Amino acid sequence: MISIFPVLARGRKGGLLTAIAFATIAAGQSKPEEGIPVTDTLVKAKCAPCHPNDDQGNLRQISWERTTPEGWQEALKRMVVSHGVNLTQPEARSIVKYLSASHGLAPEEARPLMYDPERRIHDESDVAADDVRNACARCHSFARALSWRRSAEDLKQFTSAHTAAYGTRGTGNAIAFLAKSTALHSPEWDSWSASAHKLSLAGRWLVTASLQGRGRFYGEMQIEPAGEDEFNTTVHLTSVRDGSTITRIGQTIVFGGYAWRGRSKGAAAPGSDPGDPMTEAREVLWIAPDQSAIEGRWFWGQYQEFGFDVSMRRASSDPTLLLSDRPSLKAGTQANRVRLIGENIPAQIQPADLNFGAGVTVRRIVSHGPREIVAEVDVAPDAELGKHTIALGRAAVPRGIAIYDRVDYIKVSPDSALAAFSDSDHAKGYQQFEAIGYQRGSDGEIHTPDDLELGPIDATWALEVFYRDGFGPSQDYVGTVSPAGFFAPADPSPGNNFDVWVVATATIEKDGRGRALSSKSYMVLTVPMYTLNGRRYVRDLDRWVD
């Protein structure tokens, strides 16, 4: 017999579909799902009064759920605020550590959802059908729903409680989708949880990073143990664009054997540019299961709008190539100087030792040292178009440089954005924009997945306010965009919201009619956001574990 919760079955279509979905799920189960026993004494001591255990060592609800460190942090904060659980900071940290490891996600499960803890703007329209996505994403990102893995029974109880608390009506399609996509047990989790994961991160790592508006950086990070699954870090970066240097000191905790959550900062001067890369930042990174590579984002700002995209690999004694200072080269050009950054570059380098792919010839080696090569290269008019790998023996930069014959269009990044005015309690929310050049791909269409990204181009910037007429708002109420594409809201706040186009016009690249290429980004400029259950809620709890 199928039980239908009253809050889900009031004669409405949503309740009926939900009941049908749960009936379908139940019909496919021959026996109750096996829970994940809780073995940690502190978790049992703090949680068992409300989550009693059975004779298998399972705690009610907890043993039938898995999620990310952020998910367990939010759950723990809710227990403290709403149910009076008494915890010290070390106890809270220990509980989140344990649950993230024993009731977490496998690295393969977490990786597609990393954009959410990394605080990236991300289009979720292709994740699921509209009715499925909107059942959850009306209030928060869909990634948040996907980051919780539950048994069918736990999902049933959660949906009932969520509907009663928030008045939402999840459709049967959404329930069925979550039951299939976020099952408690998965091959990835079964494999990951069955193995021991000893962290071995200490030592020197090579780092490449990019920061919107400031270009690419390279350098190294030294990682030193500072406790169980905790580390101190020192990173030194050099700008490819101008040679300026950055030093950041940080601390991090690794949850579940792969989830890097930390903080770092440099010597940012008081009153410095809000986008200053020396500013204190949060670090959210994903460690590859074999611990050979790390990737993710360091971010800061009132709304986490600034951030480095970061990739790290272990340093070794082998020759290594990290990046090229030129993101692209045009077909039919000669004597292009390309600077390659690397490690342990051999003392003797000949033009034939470097390979840029079909149609690109290394004319000569201008200079070289242990950490860089400056080469002069020719690109044939009929060179193969696309991303080319740059190789020096076994060392390589996969897809390290783009070969193109024309710029078909430019695109402003990000293509949609949010900025905010300030008030007495909240700092401004800024945005940094870049103009990126593209060539259409082999399908001959623009704005399709096979288009070739060519890197940032020089552009002039302007703002256009929506609905502006003789009586409408002027740019003075909105703010300013700098020659480098940095948008700063006006001060003081006019107490209103604005829809704004941020327009980039290329200084060199033109279309077939000789007109400068142009593009624009849609930006919402709003009053400060007073979110209680969103980022500020999580940020306060982060202090417990960072």
Side-chain angles (χ1 to χ4, degrees), residues 113-174:
L113 307 175
M114 284 298 295
Y115 65 86
D116 196 43
E118 289 173 356
R119 300 294 190 265
R120 295 182 188 273
I121 296 174
H122 184 83
D123 181 7
E124 295 186 325
S125 60
D126 62 347
V127 176
D130 288 347
D131 62 333
V132 172
R133 190 176 62 257
N134 290 339
C136 305
R138 290 182 182 274
C139 299
H140 50 69
S141 70
F142 195 55
R144 183 172 173 181
L146 293 175
S147 69
W148 280 89
R149 308 301 168 108
R150 293 181 166 93
S151 67
E153 179 62 27
D154 190 77
L155 178 61
K156 181 179 180 179
Q157 294 176 6
F158 171 79
T159 304
S160 175
H162 213 66
T163 301
Y166 303 107
T168 56
R169 293 283 171 182
T171 68
N173 289 338

Side-chain angles (χ1 to χ4, degrees), residues 101-399:
S102 299
H103 300 254
L105 302 185
E108 298 86 353
E109 294 174 318
R111 192 174 191 183
L113 307 175
M114 284 298 295
Y115 65 86
D116 196 43
E118 289 173 356
R119 300 294 190 265
R120 295 182 188 273
I121 296 174
H122 184 83
D123 181 7
E124 295 186 325
S125 60
D126 62 347
V127 176
D130 288 347
D131 62 333
V132 172
R133 190 176 62 257
N134 290 339
C136 305
R138 290 182 182 274
C139 299
H140 50 69
S141 70
F142 195 55
R144 183 172 173 181
L146 293 175
S147 69
W148 280 89
R149 308 301 168 108
R150 293 181 166 93
S151 67
E153 179 62 27
D154 190 77
L155 178 61
K156 181 179 180 179
Q157 294 176 6
F158 171 79
T159 304
S160 175
H162 213 66
T163 301
Y166 303 107
T168 56
R169 293 283 171 182
T171 68
N173 289 338
I175 300 301
F177 178 89
L178 290 174
K180 181 178 179 180
S181 304
T182 63
L184 177 65
H185 293 282
S186 69
E188 295 82 6
W189 172 249
D190 291 343
S191 175
W192 180 253
S193 60
S195 305
H197 306 289
K198 180 177 176 58
L199 281 173
S200 180
L201 302 181
R204 182 169 169 266
W205 292 70
L206 303 181
V207 182
T208 56
S210 61
L211 179 60
Q212 187 118 312
R214 295 178 186 262
R216 291 179 292 175
F217 294 77
Y218 64 92
E220 61 182 52
M221 175 183 283
Q222 189 69 35
I223 301 178
E224 298 178 354
E228 185 178 1
D229 300 333
E230 300 183 21
F231 302 89
N232 293 328
T233 62
T234 302
V235 64
H236 301 283
L237 297 177
T238 299
S239 167
V240 174
R241 178 180 296 178
D242 60 18
S244 60
T245 60
I246 297 168
T247 298
R248 299 181 64 87
I249 307 297
Q251 302 83 39
T252 191
I253 301 175
V254 177
F255 295 92
Y258 70 90
W260 175 301
R261 303 294 188 265
R263 292 183 184 272
S264 65
K265 63 181 179 180
S272 61
D273 179 344
D276 187 342
M278 294 288 194
T279 304
E280 181 178 0
R282 287 189 54 203
E283 298 182 349
V284 174
L285 304 170
W286 180 90
I287 303 172
D290 64 0
Q291 300 183 36
S292 65
I294 304 174
E295 62 182 35
R297 187 171 185 247
W298 306 336
F299 55 87
W300 67 94
Q302 176 69 19
Y303 303 100
Q304 297 88 46
E305 64 267 36
F306 302 110
F308 282 98
D309 292 328
V310 179
S311 294
M312 299 166 52
R313 67 173 83 170
R314 287 187 183 273
S316 74
S317 59
D318 297 328
T320 302
L321 289 182
L322 293 175
L323 55 81
S324 161
D325 71 337
R326 300 279 295 269
S328 60
L329 293 174
K330 190 173 183 178
T333 59
Q334 297 183 333
N336 299 283
R337 286 206 173 187
V338 179
R339 181 179 172 223
L340 303 177
I341 307 299
E343 280 265 307
N344 304 317
I345 293 171
Q348 300 298 321
I349 295 290
Q350 301 298 322
D353 297 329
L354 280 177
N355 186 348
F356 282 76
V360 183
T361 302
V362 179
R363 174 184 290 190
R364 67 187 183 101
I365 303 297
V366 177
S367 64
H368 73 280
R371 294 191 174 186
E372 74 170 38
I373 305 169
V374 178
E376 205 169 75
V377 303
D378 299 334
V379 187
D382 60 350
E384 181 180 346
L385 305 181
K387 292 283 190 177
H388 285 215
T389 293
I390 306 171
L392 173 64
R394 297 177 61 183
V397 184
R399 298 172 57 82

Side-chain angles (χ1 to χ4, degrees), residues 45-56:
K46 295 295 183 179
C47 302
C50 295
H51 299 268
N53 62 303
D54 62 18
D55 56 5
Q56 303 297 317

Side-chain angles (χ1 to χ4, degrees), residues 42 73 75 104 119 179 197-198 230 310 446 458 463 521 536:
L42 178 61
Q73 287 176 53
R119 300 294 190 265
H197 306 289
K198 180 177 176 58
E230 300 183 21
V310 179
I446 64 173
D458 292 333
L463 301 175
S521 171
R536 292 188 63 220

